[in-house]
Each structure stands twice: as C-alpha cells, then as structure tokens.
Amino acid sequence: MSAASCLLSEDQVLCSICLDVFTNPVSTPCGHNFCKKCISECWETRGTCQCPICKTVFDTRPELKVNIFISEMVDQFKQKFSSSSEQRSAEPEEVLCDVCPEPKLKALKSCLVCMMSFCETHLNPHLRMSGLKRHQLINPVENLEGRMCEKHDKLLELFCKNDQMCVCMLCTFEDHKSHDFVPLKDKYEEKKLELSKTKAGIQEIKQSVELSQKNADKEKSVGVQIFTALMTIEEKQKMTEGQAEGFITELECEISELQKRSSEVEHLSQSEDHLHLLHGFQSLSPAPPTKDWTEVRVHPPSYEGSVVRAVSQLKETLGKDMKEVCDTKLKRVQQYAVDVTLDPDTANPYLILSDDGKQVKDSDVQKNLPDNPERYSTSVCVLAKQSFSAGRFYFEVQVKEKTKWTLGVARESVNRKGQITLSPQDGYWTIRLRNEKEYAALSNPPVRLSVRSQPEKVGVFVDYEEGLISFYDVDAADRLYSFTGCSFTQKIYPYFNPCPNDGVKNSAPLIICPVNHTE
C-alpha cells in the first residue's frame, strides 16, 4: 500500500468539486471519486444524478459508499505532506485557516472570492489550478464577511467619493447611481500617500522639537553663565562697598580728633594771659597720627571680563542657532523643488524668453505676437507652463543685479489684459523690489519688508492644502514673508515680472535656477 501511495499524484487526492483533499471519498459507478458531502449536495442542487466530470447520468441514485482504498491513500498523503511542511499551529492573535481541523494552522492568504483563509496546504489549489489562480488573494485577515456588501452580498470593490464609503458593483446602479467612484486600490494608494505625508509631517515636528530643545539647552547654558557673572559682580560690589566704608570710618575718626584739637588750639589762641597760654600749650594733647590719604584709592571692579564676555557669547550662540534653524527650515521646503519653465504663450510682447524657458527680461521693443487669451497685454510679466492644484512645490529665481522685480504665484483665472492689480483678492500672491532697496509684500494693504541683506536668489514655496505661500532669501536662509490662510480652488501658476529695463539699470534677467539641496 505504501508503494501505491507513492504513485498517487496530488491531483488524484483532490475532489474536483471542492478542489480540496478528499473527505470521506466515494466512487460513482462511472469510476470517478468525490467527497461524499460534495457529490451528495451537487445532486440535490441539480435534481439529477450526473457525474460532474464525465457527465454520465444515472437513472437511479447510486448508493455511495466510502472508498476505503482511496481513503487510506488520502490519509497517507496527508501524513506525508504534513511531515514535509514547515507550517506551525497558529498563535492566538493570528488568522486561522478556515479548512484545517483542530488544531488549526496559521493562514498564509485570504481569498476574496472564496471568502476563506487558507494555510499553506489548503492554499495550494489556488496556486496551481487555472480557475482558482484568478481569485484575488490578500494577506490573511479576519472577518472576511465585513468585506461584503450587506445589501447585495457582493465584494466591496469601489469607493464612492460622494458618500465617502465602500460599495459593491450593484450599489453603483442603485443607491449610488451617478456618483463618482474609484477602485478601492486607488483610494488605498491615496490614503497611503496621505499617511506618508502625515508621518513626514510628524517627523518634521519631532525634528523641530529636538532642535528647539537643543537651542533651549544652549540658551540656558549661556543664561547660567550670565547669572554667574552677575552674582560675581554683586560679590565684587559688596567687597568694594565694604572697603570704602572702612576707609570712610577711619577718616571720620581722624577728622573728629583733628576737629577736637583744633577747637582746643582755637580756645588758647584767644587767651590774653601769657602764663595761661604757655601752660595750656604744654598740656595740649599731641596731634594724632594721620594717614597719607593722597595714595588711598577705592578701585571699582572690572565687569568687562564677565558680563560683556557672557553677553557677547550669548549673542554669538543665538546668532548661530537662528542660522541653524533658518537653514533647517529652508532645506525642509527645498525638498519640494519642481522644474519650472516659462510659457511663451502668456508672455507680454515686450519680453524676451531664453530658448530653454529659464530666463526672461524686458526688450524695450514690442514684438508682433498673437493676442491670445492667455497672453498679458500690458504688464511685462509671464507665467510658467506648469500649474499646481494640490500638494507642495518650491522653485528659486535669481534676481541678482536687478533694481526692480516682482515674483510669486497667480491663479488660473486672473485678468491678463490691460492694467492688472497684484493682490490676493485679484488672484496674485507676490513680493516685489522697487528703487533697488524697497521690498514689499503685495497684500492688502502692501507690507513693507525689512531685509538683512539684498537677496540675490529668491525661493518661493507653496502648500496648496494649507493655503501657504512663503518667500525666502536663499543665500541668507531668511524667510522674507508668508501669505497664510489662502484659499485655493483653482490651478495656480508661478508668476514672473522682470519690470522695464530703465535704460540699462534693470536689464539683468530673472533666471529660474536649479535648487541645490546641499547648500
């Protein structure tokens, strides 16, 4: 019998109805084998006794008896397969195989078509048989019934954007008719991306907190030094005051003695009795010894070596910390750098664009160009080809050697004909330079900007969902200005205005630069 079991293939121990290893195998008169339960239910469902394999019809229902030979072969096959398998019994919190007898093994996959979870042994038919290979397998999960539509008993395959819920195919023709749907996989990827952004945001916050803690520790350290210096000053001051008070007390004693003797001398000098004067002078107390006070000095303590040094150190530390914080913030937004090129179809006829679409300047000469709806007719400005309607983006523009310019972003529907007004209410979020050193953010009303140095490269960062537009002096890593609380409902485009040449004073171009993340 063992020899026979070795010749028995895996296909011969599988029921062609349930596609699993035989349970109580029986043989039909035509010689085919099935699980007793499977063939019985099949005949009861169809109402006829027909072999599912060869289609032989039996006039009377055959008496089904367990095929002992096949049953023994199946038992040996199970034992052989079990001994070679590396499966183990499932732990309490793991998903169990729905087919295994007790103790159940750990499930490797769940089938969304069969609505069952399978261990390695019982998963095998899904990996071999062409019909089962088309079934959708996922990592094992519990409660597969929860993935079925309660109303239609169909698999939840779609996500309804209108009602923000998972639905089956039949739902799209009934309760959710005319709604907007996406496959669950697409919604999954979208949510996964959102979670990734959230995780990145949390990581940024953690880094900021760590940096803030580091800076706080530095400042506390310098603060302790200053406090120590102040305590030292107070001690030196008390010592100096004590020394001065001692000198004053000693000097007051000498003055008192001198005043007493002076009074005695004054009294004798007024006497006209010669004898009394001579006797009185001889009995006059000798002059008390006095100190040479011309050499006595109370030297004020020097504080320069303590306070000045501590304050200088604090100023230097704070300067370094602020530079480090600014550099970190700038690098954080630079990771959202995008490739931006100028759109010639939007450029004012007076502008000259480079062939690569990275530079723009005024030409003082109007070109003969078609007045298409996208083109600016009066203002010497141009938009980028790229538009953005979600997420974050960042780009940098060189403004070196220019005396005036305007940069920012604009929404798609802005007015491009005649004179335009640059304000958030009109769809423009910009900053500008005028008269070589006058910087302003064109909010309503405009805000004058204070800069530490003349920016040679300006960075523009936009967070569409947060409604945030920030401008940076790239070289100094300074934030120049931020528009906050903006509400975007349309596509937005990078906006560039090199302004008129003013002879040759402002003839330098605006240049879109590649972003250097390592700066």
Side-chain angles (χ1 to χ4, degrees), residues 297-309:
R297 295 287 186 274
V298 178
H299 299 283
S302 174
Y303 305 134
E304 182 176 359
S306 52
V307 175
V308 175
R309 183 167 57 250

Side-chain angles (χ1 to χ4, degrees), residues 208 210-220 317-318 320-322 324-325:
S208 297
E210 290 173 359
L211 182 59
S212 297
Q213 183 63 49
K214 179 181 177 182
N215 294 336
D217 292 341
K218 288 183 179 179
E219 293 179 19
K220 284 192 291 186
T317 301
L318 290 177
K320 290 181 179 178
D321 291 346
M322 287 301 297
E324 184 177 348
V325 170

Side-chain angles (χ1 to χ4, degrees), residues 13 47 57 124 158 169 194 212 263 276 322 331 367 468:
V13 296
V57 178
N124 190 266
L158 302 173
M169 289 298 297
E194 289 182 12
S212 297
S263 177
H276 174 71
M322 287 301 297
K331 289 177 181 178
K367 296 188 290 294
L468 171 70

Side-chain angles (χ1 to χ4, degrees), residues 89-105:
S89 297
E91 298 295 331
E93 296 182 356
E94 293 177 336
V95 179
L96 306 179
C97 174
D98 291 321
V99 183
C100 282
E102 296 294 342
K104 292 183 177 292
L105 298 179

Side-chain angles (χ1 to χ4, degrees), residues 243-454:
Q243 184 182 25
E245 288 174 358
F247 288 156
I248 291 172
T249 300
E250 186 178 352
L251 183 59
E252 285 178 345
C253 289
E254 289 190 8
I255 292 173
S256 177
E257 291 295 327
L258 290 173
Q259 286 178 342
K260 180 179 179 182
R261 194 167 188 278
S262 175
S263 177
E264 294 176 354
V265 170
E266 179 67 23
H267 178 72
L268 287 174
S269 65
Q270 293 178 358
S271 176
E272 295 181 356
D273 187 339
H274 297 169
L275 181 62
H276 174 71
L277 175 64
L278 292 174
H279 282 292
F281 185 79
Q282 290 176 352
S283 62
L284 188 67
S285 59
T290 60
K291 185 183 294 186
D292 184 5
W293 292 97
T294 60
E295 300 298 327
V296 176
R297 295 287 186 274
V298 178
H299 299 283
S302 174
Y303 305 134
E304 182 176 359
S306 52
V307 175
V308 175
R309 183 167 57 250
V311 172
S312 176
Q313 182 178 353
L314 176 60
K315 183 178 180 181
E316 180 182 354
T317 301
L318 290 177
K320 290 181 179 178
D321 291 346
M322 287 301 297
K323 183 66 167 63
E324 184 177 348
V325 170
C326 292
D327 286 343
T328 301
K329 289 183 177 179
L330 180 59
K331 289 177 181 178
R332 191 180 303 159
V333 300
Q334 283 179 329
Q335 66 180 311
Y336 299 103
V338 294
D339 184 22
V340 173
T341 52
L342 303 171
D343 184 0
D345 291 337
T346 66
N348 179 274
Y350 279 91
L351 294 179
I352 297 177
L353 276 59
S354 61
D355 293 339
D356 62 0
K358 297 294 186 181
Q359 301 186 30
V360 59
K361 64 179 181 179
D362 182 34
S363 67
D364 292 326
V365 178
Q366 183 175 10
K367 296 188 290 294
N368 184 19
L369 298 173
D371 187 22
N372 50 288
E374 297 84 10
R375 191 179 306 282
Y376 283 92
S377 61
T378 303
S379 297
V380 286
C381 49
V382 59
L383 299 179
K385 290 181 179 179
Q386 293 75 21
S387 64
F388 303 88
S389 57
R392 303 169 180 173
F393 67 92
Y394 173 85
F395 61 95
E396 294 179 352
V397 183
Q398 179 179 304
V399 296
K400 186 178 180 180
E401 298 178 357
K402 293 193 68 63
T403 59
K404 60 174 66 174
W405 47 262
T406 305
L407 290 172
V409 295
R411 66 173 175 236
E412 186 176 28
S413 63
V414 291
N415 175 37
R416 307 183 191 188
K417 305 300 179 184
Q419 294 297 325
I420 62 175
T421 303
L422 298 181
S423 71
Q425 289 74 17
D426 294 295
Y428 292 93
W429 294 267
T430 59
I431 65 171
R432 74 181 183 191
L433 167 66
R434 295 292 185 269
N435 301 322
E436 299 187 33
K437 57 184 179 180
E438 297 175 4
Y439 294 87
L442 300 183
S443 57
N444 192 12
V447 177
R448 186 165 184 176
L449 304 181
S450 176
V451 299
R452 289 192 298 174
S453 59
Q454 296 282 99

